[in-house]
Amino acid sequence: MAKKFKNAPTLNDLSQPLAALSLQEYINLHAADVLSPHPFMEGASTLRFWQETFQPVRSGEGKRWINDTLRWPYAERLIYLSREFRQLDTRYQRYILKAAKAHIWWRGDDSQRFQAIVAAHLNYRKLNETERLHYRKRLMQAAQQLLRNG
């Protein structure tokens, strides 16, 4: 989470009429185009489709007041990713949807990078607990070396 959001007052601290907006209302207010149905949704509710396709809400993505404006990082992420997703070719969209069913989340990556991410996730899931521990240690060593050299 960005530092600028950490100290921002949460909606529990402020009582404003906008604070009661649902996710559907917030998106409709800021990006109504995102809520229009598309053939790839196969009749599913648009908001539910986006919520199932992209990573669920993470800590720190709740509603916040920033400079007298209601900001909702989770909703803004859904808006951004849905707009990006709609511009992709059909084949890549299907690939992203299949990965989402396996709980591998697309974050706007290009197709080559996302395919590598999916492959890494699937390979990691095949490892036993000891192999996972060694894998994480190797990652930490590589990250530390990058920090030293960078």
Side-chain angles (χ1 to χ4, degrees):
M1 173 172 42
K3 289 181 183 179
K4 66 180 180 181
F5 292 118
K6 287 189 181 192
N7 297 323
T10 64
L11 293 182
N12 296 333
D13 302 331
L14 299 169
S15 58
Q16 298 276 344
L18 287 176
L21 284 176
S22 68
L23 182 59
Q24 175 102 19
E25 293 167 331
Y26 183 92
I27 292 175
N28 195 40
L29 182 65
H30 295 284
D33 63 297
V34 169
L35 298 175
S36 61
H38 294 276
F40 54 75
M41 294 178 177
E42 298 176 348
S45 151
T46 54
L47 183 58
R48 178 177 218 112
F49 177 85
W50 296 129
Q51 288 178 298
E52 291 173 358
T53 301
F54 307 129
Q55 186 174 18
V57 65
R58 299 177 295 197
S59 66
E61 287 189 320
K63 298 177 198 172
R64 300 206 179 276
W65 288 100
I66 307 290
N67 298 330
D68 297 327
T69 303
L70 179 68
R71 300 296 305 266
W72 196 344
Y74 173 63
E76 292 166 10
R77 179 166 56 86
L78 285 181
I79 291 166
Y80 170 76
L81 289 175
S82 64
R83 286 178 172 161
E84 292 294 311
F85 182 89
R86 291 182 317 191
Q87 295 176 17
L88 301 173
D89 66 73
T90 307
R91 186 174 177 189
Y92 190 33
Q93 288 175 343
R94 284 194 304 262
Y95 186 81
I96 292 167
L97 295 173
K98 189 175 179 181
K101 288 182 179 166
H103 297 275
I104 302 171
W105 309 113
W106 179 71
R107 296 183 180 124
D109 304 293
D110 64 67
S111 62
Q112 287 182 325
R113 177 161 172 74
F114 188 60
Q115 288 173 4
I117 290 168
V118 169
H121 271 276
L122 294 176
N123 288 336
Y124 181 78
R125 289 176 182 177
K126 292 177 186 175
L127 301 177
N128 65 36
E129 200 55 43
T130 304
E131 292 170 326
R132 286 182 180 195
L133 178 64
H134 291 301
Y135 178 83
R136 288 192 298 265
K137 283 183 181 178
R138 285 195 319 267
L139 279 180
M140 289 304 295
Q141 289 171 346
Q144 289 171 350
Q145 187 159 359
L146 282 174
L147 287 174
R148 284 187 212 125
N149 295 337

